[in-house]
Amino acid sequence: PENIAVVYSNDKLFAVSFDSIYSIEDVVIKPMPGQLRDVHVFSGIIILGEGSIVPILEPEEILTISKLQLEDDLIIKQNL
């Protein structure tokens, strides 16, 4: 069974599929560490109680990158 979350971000609505939900918690999102700030698919991190670091995905950036990849694939196929 596939799980789907409907995401609304910056006036855009899209769906993200995922395998499972690890847990649902209230968290504080911290900024990305300096060396990872240019990785735009992550908006920040959370640090779990046992010390694990979990990156927070930036849905709109993932959508943008996906569209670019799809467009690049179409251009490559058209040029073959």
Side-chain angles (χ1 to χ4, degrees), residues 3-64:
N3 300 294
I4 297 175
V6 177
V7 180
Y8 183 75
S9 176
N10 290 336
D11 295 327
K12 295 177 184 167
L13 187 66
F14 56 97
V16 178
S17 68
F18 54 94
D19 293 328
S20 64
I21 295 175
Y22 176 72
S23 67
I24 297 175
E25 300 178 26
D26 290 325
V27 297
V28 175
I29 299 176
K30 302 207 177 263
M32 291 298 287
Q35 60 271 39
L36 297 175
R37 284 205 178 113
D38 291 333
V39 181
H40 299 289
V41 295
F42 301 113
S43 59
I45 60 170
I46 59 171
I47 302 172
L48 300 178
E50 84 278 354
S52 297
I53 296 173
V54 179
I56 305 299
L57 294 172
E58 182 61 54
E60 188 168 346
E61 187 65 24
I62 293 170
L63 182 63
T64 299

